[in-house]
Amino acid sequence: MNIGRVVGSVVCTVKDPSLKGVKLLLLQQIKNNREGEIHVAADALRVCGKGDLVYYISSKEAAMALRQDITPVDSAIMGFVEEYSLRK
């Protein structure tokens, strides 16, 4: 599980039929309270927007999160993060 902030969205002229109705969002990874890479994630919740702090999963589990047979995604947003803290 990873944490990230939604920083934008992706517009596609053509996408796989299994992604119909699924938003593709740009996520800025947050690791050890520092911003990391930006990558694309499918919005499995279908309600996320810019500025939301979310947790997401990657790999095979991300494809399974969209409840299709085989969905071509590498990351999927699974929920919102209300708050988090770092141990020192």
Side-chain angles (χ1 to χ4, degrees):
M1 180 172 53
N2 304 292
I3 295 176
R5 185 169 307 278
V6 178
V7 295
S9 61
V10 176
V11 177
C12 301
T13 55
V14 177
K15 63 181 179 180
D16 191 273
S18 64
L19 290 170
K20 184 177 181 180
V22 177
K23 293 188 291 186
L24 300 177
L25 300 172
L26 292 175
L27 287 182
Q28 173 106 49
Q29 183 180 25
I30 298 175
K31 198 175 221 182
N32 296 326
N33 212 26
R34 296 196 174 145
E35 294 178 343
E37 298 177 356
I38 294 178
H39 61 275
V40 177
D43 182 7
L45 302 174
R46 293 175 171 83
V47 294
C48 296
K50 189 173 181 179
D52 288 339
L53 188 61
V54 297
Y55 66 91
Y56 63 98
I57 55 176
S58 322
S59 195
K60 179 181 176 184
E61 289 78 15
M64 293 170 30
L66 295 171
R67 299 185 184 133
Q68 301 289 334
D69 291 334
I70 299 175
T71 305
V73 296
D74 291 328
S75 298
I77 297 171
M78 298 304 298
F80 294 100
V81 175
E82 297 295 326
E83 67 178 71
Y84 72 98
S85 62
L86 298 173
R87 293 184 183 174
K88 293 185 179 184

